[in-house]
Amino acid sequence: DAKTTQPTSMDCAEGRAANLPCNHSTISGNEYVYWYRQIHSQGPQYIIHGLKNNETNEMASLIITEDRKSSTLILPHATLRDTAVYYCIVRVAAQGAQKLVFGQGTRLTINP
Amino acid sequence: GAVVSQHPSRVICKSGTSVKIECRSLDFQATTMFWYRQFPKQSLMLMATSNEGSKATYEQGVEKDKFLINHASLTLSTLTVTSAHPEDSSFYICSAITGTGAGKLFFGSGTQLSVL
């Protein structure tokens, strides 16, 4: 089972910042938070990941709360091409394999 | 970023035939690859973990004799759907991990399987 909960859907205006929340209240100390997105009929695309500190790359920023029980993915200037399903995932290490278990994700729609 | 190539992107087959899907890591070696399936408007469901040189580890409820996985080299894993039936029609996606620890997982572009 996925260890994260996300809103089912969100809307954002083009050009504005899109803030996608994720709860992972049972996260363990050595588990990372990963964000991926999936555009229709394509494979998921890696966005960003983090452990405790906030992270930023060319695509997005990741803000992780101090207790690590939740995080927020920020797309600073959303475009229509950012419309996708966004998945917040906590990395599970089991049997030596570091598999990713997907939840239902947030369907983000960017409106013109 | 790292590239994972999946082939074919789309396949239509008759019921009872077998279909092989290939997943290649193009610019890195992947000792571990993962196979997912996805039904319309649903999330990805992990099917199995493919380990180079050893048997795959299947998730609960996934038939290992139905979905044969072979990971013969550090850059290639294959998924064979044996004796396909219409209910096997789905979007199949492979992924490979780079590095260890917090290594990133990169995904192929997926294979849409339609069984008639």
Side-chain angles (χ1 to χ4, degrees):
Chain A
D1 291 335
K3 297 177 67 173
T4 63
T5 55
Q6 300 175 251
T8 303
S9 63
M10 291 183 65
D11 284 82
C12 179
E14 187 179 16
R16 304 298 295 269
N19 297 282
L20 291 87
C22 179
N23 287 319
H24 31 80
S25 58
T26 60
I27 191 170
S28 300
N30 60 349
E31 289 179 319
Y32 291 76
V33 180
Y34 286 78
W35 282 85
Y36 285 80
R37 71 180 183 185
Q38 185 180 27
I39 297 171
H40 181 62
S41 297
Q42 297 182 23
Q45 176 190 23
Y46 167 83
I47 301 174
I48 199 167
H49 75 283
L51 182 62
K52 326 182 193 181
N53 299 323
N54 298 336
E55 302 287 345
T56 295
N57 63 20
E58 66 279 3
M59 289 184 70
S61 295
L62 173 60
I63 308 298
I64 302 175
T65 58
E66 193 169 340
D67 63 8
R68 304 212 319 128
K69 292 186 177 182
S70 65
S71 61
T72 301
L73 177 74
I74 301 172
L75 307 178
H77 304 288
T79 70
L80 298 179
R81 288 180 294 181
D82 292 322
T83 292
V85 178
Y86 286 76
Y87 295 99
C88 166
I89 303 160
V90 166
R91 185 78 167 276
V92 177
Q95 299 177 348
Q98 301 154 338
K99 58 187 180 182
L100 291 186
V101 177
F102 285 77
Q104 293 306 306
T106 296
R107 184 172 298 274
L108 175 67
T109 302
I110 306 300
N111 300 306
Chain B
V3 177
V4 175
S5 174
Q6 187 172 342
H7 178 79
S9 59
R10 181 178 294 273
V11 58
I12 301 172
C13 70
K14 293 182 179 178
S15 186
T17 61
S18 294
V19 175
K20 180 185 282 188
I21 303 169
E22 292 188 349
C23 180
R24 295 181 185 273
S25 55
L26 295 186
D27 51 359
F28 64 99
Q29 293 184 332
T31 55
T32 302
M33 292 186 177
F34 302 93
W35 287 94
Y36 294 82
R37 69 187 296 183
Q38 185 176 33
F39 293 107
K41 297 188 178 179
Q42 294 188 22
S43 185
L44 285 77
M45 183 190 79
L46 180 65
M47 298 175 68
T49 302
S50 169
N51 300 298
E52 187 267 334
S54 64
K55 291 183 180 179
T57 304
Y58 290 82
E59 295 298 303
Q60 190 173 8
V62 178
E63 300 175 58
K64 62 180 181 181
D65 296 329
K66 172 77 171 174
F67 299 100
L68 299 179
I69 292 173
N70 183 280
H71 195 155
S73 77
L74 287 172
T75 58
L76 174 63
S77 175
T78 60
L79 168 68
T80 300
V81 183
T82 62
S83 187
H85 289 106
E87 56 265 31
D88 298 323
S89 298
S90 185
F91 191 55
Y92 293 87
I93 308 170
C94 71
S95 63
I97 191 165
T98 63
T100 58
K104 302 175 196 175
L105 204 64
F106 289 94
F107 288 81
S109 54
T111 297
Q112 182 63 51
L113 171 64
S114 299
V115 184
L116 304 179

